[in-house]
Amino acid sequence: MFSRNSPMHHHLLSLFFSILIIPTHCDDRKTYIVYLGDLPKGMEITELHHISMVQGVLGRNFAAEALVHSYKKSFNGFAVRLTKEEAKRVEEMDGVISVFQSKTHKPQTTRSWDFIGFPQKVNRSSLESDVIVGVIDSGIWPESDSFNDHGFSSPPKKWKGSCQNITCNNKIIGAKYFRVDGSFGKDDTISPRDSEGHGTHTASTVAGNWVNSARLFGLGEGAARGGVPSARIAVYKTCWSSGCETTDILAAFDEAIFDGVDILSVSLSFKSMGHPDLFQDVFAIGAFYAMKKGILTSIAAANMGPELSTMNSFAPWSLSVAASTIDRKFSTKVQLGDGGVFEGVSLNTFDLHNTTYPLIYSGDAPNITGGFNSSRSRLCFGNSLDESKVKGKIVLCDELPSDATRLSGAVGVVLPTATYSKDTASFFVFPLPLAVLTLNDGRTIHSYLNSTSNPTAAIYKTNEGKDSLAPYVASFSSRGPNMITPNILKPDIAAPGVDIIAAWPSITPISNEKGDKRLSKFNIISGTSMACPHATAAAAYVKSFHPTWSPAAIKSALMTTATPMSPALNPEAEFAYGAGQINPIKAVTPGLVYDISESDYVRFLCGQGYNRTSLRSITDEEVNCKKMEKETVWDLNLPSFALKRNISVSFFSVFHRTVTNVVAAKSVYKAEVIAPQSLLTIQVTPSVLSFSSMGEKKSFTVTIEGTINVEIVSASLIWDDGNSQVRSPIVVYGTQ
Ligand SMILES: *[C@@H]1O[C@H](CO)[C@@H](O)[C@H](O)[C@H]1NC(C)=O
Ligand SMILES: *[C@@H]1O[C@H](CO)[C@@H](O)[C@H](O)[C@H]1NC(C)=O
Ligand SMILES: *[C@@H]1O[C@H](CO)[C@@H](O)[C@H](O)[C@H]1NC(C)=O
Ligand SMILES: *[C@@H]1O[C@H](CO)[C@@H](O)[C@H](O)[C@H]1NC(C)=O
Ligand SMILES: *[C@@H]1O[C@H](CO)[C@@H](O)[C@H](O)[C@H]1NC(C)=O
Ligand SMILES: *[C@@H]1O[C@H](CO)[C@@H](O)[C@H](O)[C@H]1NC(C)=O
Ligand SMILES: *[C@@H]1O[C@H](CO)[C@@H](O)[C@H](O)[C@H]1NC(C)=O
Ligand SMILES: *[C@@H]1O[C@H](CO)[C@@H](O)[C@H](O)[C@H]1NC(C)=O
């Protein structure tokens, strides 16, 4: 999956969650999830049902111990250890929707709120404290000031959740952990307590209290706060030292939906790209049942950008969130003995007091006794460097050192990289002083090294500056288009995800590397994992004003009020940022919403090729798939339009949409289309919609015709009544 990415990117990602170690079992059985759809009405499902079901096909000698977990609170299914052949036989049974192997996933702060125009003193709904945000992640550090329950009343009456190991307070009202096969690693804390940091960071970004003077060793100083500080938090820990298993994530959805959360925040994604089937995608299945219960699931778009087609969250009932920058940027200066100065990027909290150290190229210091030559040592991994040559020096490396806590006694690292960009290097905190530079700067430094017998350099502590280009989408943020449903736009929206400061466990090194002694109550990290909780909070904020709105209505409000972003800064346009950057305040009064019911999604699934038999078990709605043509899945009532067409072939396509009036009873909306005239003709019929009451619905069609000769053409439709501008992105993209 990382084939399109540099090794550096790869390393950055694995810093958060180390690579999976698959436990070796003596047989060739693997854990599969057998997904059965809705819970049957009027009947309680037990483990015995699931065991006897498997015995029905595999015979009496199927051992009950092979059943790993039963999902029976919010939907029906189970996890079971099977051989490939057995899995095939189970898949053919009546009532089985899908059988798929469990995999390991990975998780992908607070100037950011001010930057997007969501200040501390924003109007708040008195119902904000009734909103319960479920966070599926690596747990929580309950002692953090961000989760203090001072001034909170008791939890909302409807709440059914509880806390394992740690004591709930009125802020953290739920905390459970999931490891359904019981295989913990030696570094795992067997409780909802977070020892990785990721879950604490994301939960506090959504709903952390206002904490004054948050900082990371002087960096990012300011108040830290979640988007909805009065909301309640329920954590579902599914991520452990070995990663996050499908079986556990599905168990967390099962539990969270049953407990009664209002919004779900899932900063996790598949490790690999693309996915063949929505019903083999744990996030799509979980979010589908959440949707049925009125819960919107916000999910990270993944960190495999910047190339196109690097996303893997495609379910139209989820909100898929890309990561954008804020106007704060961190830079780290490198100064050479000859006076040359280079502006690098990184989050270097180490203060070397501007001291100059000898500089050496890693390729000139191979550990020969260890069997390494120059072409290995230049990559700076493991023991490849000769300690007697690099100790006490700054090392110019060609790759990010993999085992950096004690890089053969080096003082610091200067790293030129082809993937240098203003946003990649500040992706993480490194256990040594580090400055990441462009390849060009690297060459200049190398020739300085060659030109003198006593080369020296200094790495300065990171400096905070302003990025006047912001916002743009971070290079790591995964891009569309949608690989499963090409005529549905993904990602949906962008939110801040670069250099976000938020709460951190006070026992966890800020670089996540053992041996790094730096501890802090706050940490600065980047990723679509950080963008997701911003969007979750925006959704919770909208929900606090409109508790009865459906997940689709909330998603629509967020998308149609998003601030448009610049295609000049992001050539991938909508495939990078969806509808644009979240604007929570505007999202409370969107004017119109594009609502979607469960039966609309079921019709969409028909269009995706699922038939009546398989859909009957996931919905009570009457299903008639015959009427659905495959092409018309784009008629799903989303607030965005995507169309994949052959380059240089003329086309004519019709979209159907329905909007619901939600803000002013009497209003007249006019359609305005912004499109490149030379390529597309877009017609909206009718072009005026008059509403006389709240909740009134009006339908219209959008016809798009033309011929495209470039890969991506962006346009938009805006319904405007003089007060609200209800904007939908339109993207037509080409294939050869
Ligand atoms: C807050 O609400 C009040 C009353 O509804 C309104 O007048 C005011 O404009 C709102 N302020 C903001 C910043 O939205
Ligand atoms: C948390 O509770 C579980 C179940 O009671 C127990 O097995 C586990 O050891 C506890 N963890 C800690 C860290 O106390
Ligand atoms: C290091 O240099 C920076 C400017 O480049 C300066 O602001 C700072 O005071 C210096 N620190 C020390 C310890 O001299
Ligand atoms: C060289 O590598 C070997 C084996 O990997 C290691 O034990 C040794 O400490 C290294 N030597 C130096 C001088 O770094
Ligand atoms: C360096 O070592 C690697 C692996 O040990 C070997 O494949 C490579 O040929 C060596 N390169 C040189 C220049 O000796
Ligand atoms: C530095 O010197 C080495 C060997 O002497 C050479 O291979 C390399 O190209 C030089 N680099 C620069 C940037 O001058
Ligand atoms: C429905 O789909 C399932 C699974 O794809 C298939 O086995 C079955 O034959 C289909 N039924 C009909 C009536 O097409
Ligand atoms: C687009 O191109 C593909 C592959 O060349 C072809 O199968 C398809 O029929 C074309 N569609 C149209 C509308 O021309």
Side-chain angles (χ1 to χ4, degrees):
M1 75 161 158
F2 287 106
S3 56
R4 292 156 178 247
N5 281 323
S6 72
M8 176 166 168
H9 241 117
H10 184 164
H11 188 80
L12 300 183
L13 293 165
S14 61
L15 275 172
F16 291 120
F17 275 85
S18 42
I19 304 303
L20 155 75
I21 302 143
I22 299 166
T24 44
H25 292 269
C26 32
D27 58 29
D28 54 356
R29 289 194 156 77
K30 300 225 157 50
T31 303
Y32 286 87
I33 288 164
V34 179
Y35 169 48
L36 301 170
D38 273 6
L39 291 170
K41 291 274 154 354
M43 167 182 170
E44 197 174 325
I45 288 288
T46 67
E47 266 134 45
L48 281 179
H49 286 107
H50 293 148
I51 292 169
S52 65
M53 192 176 160
V54 185
Q55 280 174 343
V57 58
L58 299 184
R60 290 270 150 218
N61 48 9
F62 167 78
E65 298 85 74
L67 187 81
V68 178
H69 187 76
S70 278
Y71 304 102
K72 50 188 200 272
K73 289 195 157 173
S74 302
F75 45 85
N76 192 6
F78 54 96
V80 61
R81 294 191 56 79
L82 299 171
T83 64
K84 215 169 165 183
E85 288 67 37
E86 288 170 343
K88 272 233 160 63
R89 284 163 65 197
V90 171
E91 192 169 14
E92 278 156 15
M93 290 180 76
D94 269 356
V96 172
I97 296 178
S98 61
V99 175
F100 55 100
Q101 223 179 299
S102 180
K103 293 210 182 83
T104 308
H105 308 266
K106 61 174 181 240
Q108 295 283 331
T109 295
T110 340
R111 162 98 193 110
S112 52
W113 290 120
D114 292 303
F115 177 69
I116 63 165
F118 191 59
Q120 162 75 6
K121 287 200 163 46
V122 71
N123 281 350
R124 300 251 174 213
S125 159
S126 60
L127 298 179
E128 186 174 305
S129 64
D130 284 351
V131 177
I132 303 163
V133 180
V135 182
I136 300 180
D137 210 303
S138 66
I140 198 160
W141 188 256
E143 290 78 16
S144 166
D145 296 340
S146 300
F147 309 125
N148 167 328
D149 72 345
H150 204 80
F152 279 80
S153 58
S154 36
K157 292 242 157 26
K158 62 163 192 178
W159 181 239
K160 288 194 267 185
S162 58
C163 293
Q164 290 176 306
N165 303 82
I166 64 174
T167 313
C168 280
N169 64 17
N170 287 330
K171 178 75 187 174
I172 303 174
I173 63 171
K176 294 176 180 169
Y177 67 84
F178 300 85
R179 192 60 167 172
V180 299
D181 68 359
S183 65
F184 296 98
K186 71 173 175 25
D187 292 335
D188 286 331
T189 307
I190 306 175
S191 87
R193 187 171 283 282
D194 181 17
S195 52
E196 305 279 349
H198 194 271
T200 300
H201 201 278
T202 54
S204 66
T205 301
V206 184
N209 298 321
W210 193 80
V211 182
N212 221 336
S213 68
R215 67 178 88 82
L216 173 66
F217 295 96
L219 297 177
E221 184 148 7
R225 63 189 169 95
V228 279
S230 301
R232 321 291 180 129
I233 297 170
V235 296
Y236 298 86
K237 174 170 169 180
T238 59
C239 298
W240 305 88
S241 53
S242 62
C244 334
E245 282 294 328
T246 306
T247 44
D248 300 333
I249 295 167
L250 202 53
F253 271 106
D254 192 24
E255 194 84 16
I257 295 165
F258 179 81
D259 285 348
V261 301
D262 293 302
I263 307 272
L264 272 168
S265 198
V266 188
S267 287
L268 310 176
S269 69
F270 287 110
K271 268 183 150 177
S272 51
M273 277 178 290
H275 225 263
D277 190 323
L278 288 171
F279 288 148
Q280 297 186 354
D281 170 349
V282 58
F283 303 107
I285 294 172
F288 186 80
Y289 282 92
M291 176 277 293
K292 281 168 69 112
K293 289 277 168 357
I295 305 161
L296 178 64
T297 301
S298 163
I299 185 157
N303 300 340
M304 293 180 276
E307 287 82 7
L308 291 173
S309 312
T310 45
M311 280 191 66
N312 49 28
S313 133
F314 302 125
W317 44 83
S318 302
L319 181 69
S320 307
V321 190
S324 53
T325 58
I326 59 172
D327 60 352
R328 180 168 64 197
K329 83 174 167 193
F330 294 105
S331 61
T332 305
K333 197 168 79 172
V334 174
Q335 185 156 18
L336 302 182
D338 68 357
V341 172
F342 303 87
E343 190 179 286
V345 285
S346 67
L347 272 176
N348 175 33
T349 71
F350 295 102
D351 190 351
L352 300 179
H353 305 288
N354 304 357
T355 311
T356 299
Y357 291 90
L359 177 68
I360 188 167
Y361 173 53
S362 53
D364 295 339
N367 171 0
I368 291 162
T369 53
F372 298 97
N373 58 25
S374 164
S375 45
R376 303 286 294 284
S377 70
R378 69 179 194 85
L379 307 175
C380 285
F381 65 81
N383 275 324
S384 66
L385 295 172
D386 184 340
E387 176 157 359
S388 66
K389 289 201 174 130
V390 302
K391 189 171 184 190
K393 296 185 183 166
I394 289 173
V395 188
L396 176 66
C397 287
D398 286 344
E399 289 286 351
L400 189 70
S402 53
D403 176 19
T405 326
R406 214 195 130 271
L407 187 68
S408 305
V411 168
V413 175
V414 173
L415 176 73
T417 165
T419 57
Y420 172 94
S421 82
K422 285 186 286 300
D423 58 59
T424 41
S426 49
F427 203 68
F428 64 103
V429 178
F430 196 66
L432 283 177
L434 168 78
V436 177
L437 302 167
T438 61
L439 284 182
N440 222 4
D441 287 348
R443 270 188 291 272
T444 312
I445 294 174
H446 207 156
S447 48
Y448 157 73
L449 250 164
N450 280 357
S451 72
T452 168
S453 50
N454 284 313
T456 60
I459 299 175
Y460 288 64
K461 190 178 174 182
T462 292
N463 215 0
E464 214 170 302
K466 197 169 164 69
D467 184 357
S468 53
L469 288 179
Y472 48 91
V473 174
S475 56
F476 58 75
S477 187
S478 286
R479 267 62 169 176
N482 187 326
M483 305 289 281
I484 294 189
T485 318
N487 295 326
I488 283 182
L489 180 64
K490 285 283 173 175
D492 296 303
I493 207 155
V498 176
D499 295 333
I500 305 300
I501 187 164
W504 198 251
S506 51
I507 56 155
T508 307
I510 57 173
S511 64
N512 261 67
E513 301 258 332
K514 276 183 182 171
D516 183 347
K517 301 258 177 327
R518 292 168 302 165
L519 303 173
S520 171
K521 288 175 160 185
F522 292 89
N523 199 2
I524 298 176
I525 54 179
S526 302
T528 51
S529 284
M530 283 65 245
C532 169
H534 280 89
T536 309
Y541 183 68
V542 173
K543 177 130 186 141
S544 73
F545 287 92
H546 306 289
T548 60
W549 280 13
S550 71
I554 294 174
K555 175 175 165 177
S556 171
L558 292 171
M559 287 175 69
T560 61
T561 58
T563 310
M565 290 175 70
S566 164
L569 297 173
N570 293 102
E572 313 85 15
E574 283 76 14
F575 294 138
Y577 44 67
Q581 180 186 259
I582 53 163
N583 185 337
I585 295 178
K586 271 195 166 174
V588 171
T589 53
L592 306 173
V593 295
Y594 294 75
D595 206 356
I596 304 177
S597 66
E598 183 180 337
S599 57
D600 297 330
Y601 287 123
V602 170
R603 281 217 309 282
F604 155 83
L605 288 167
C606 287
Q608 283 290 99
Y610 298 94
N611 61 33
R612 182 177 181 160
T613 325
S614 52
L615 291 176
R616 219 168 29 207
S617 43
I618 64 158
T619 181
D620 297 333
E621 310 276 337
E622 189 45 47
V623 185
N624 185 355
C625 282
K626 281 211 189 77
K627 286 190 187 145
M628 290 293 298
E629 291 292 322
K630 197 155 187 139
E631 280 285 39
T632 54
V633 294
W634 74 51
D635 276 341
L636 186 64
N637 201 36
L638 287 162
S640 59
F641 301 81
L643 194 56
K644 181 180 177 179
R645 283 298 174 250
N646 290 349
I647 280 178
S648 307
V649 179
S650 66
F651 60 86
F652 176 91
S653 305
V654 185
F655 290 78
H656 296 86
R657 289 290 187 275
T658 300
V659 283
T660 309
N661 180 30
V662 292
V663 171
K666 283 200 193 328
S667 48
V668 177
Y669 283 86
K670 293 198 174 93
E672 183 194 344
V673 169
I674 300 169
Q677 301 286 320
S678 56
L679 298 172
L680 301 178
T681 305
I682 300 178
Q683 213 128 43
V684 182
T685 318
S687 62
V688 176
L689 299 176
S690 302
F691 295 90
S692 51
S693 64
M694 291 285 270
E696 192 179 354
K697 289 178 188 289
K698 295 269 177 187
S699 296
F700 62 93
T701 61
V702 177
T703 57
I704 307 180
E705 66 180 304
T707 311
I708 57 167
N709 51 20
V710 290
E711 275 185 355
I712 303 172
V713 180
S714 298
S716 55
L717 161 64
I718 301 162
W719 287 107
D720 193 341
D721 74 340
N723 290 314
S724 300
Q725 288 76 42
V726 189
R727 180 180 172 276
S728 289
I730 300 174
V731 54
V732 183
Y733 66 109
T735 55
Q736 291 295 343

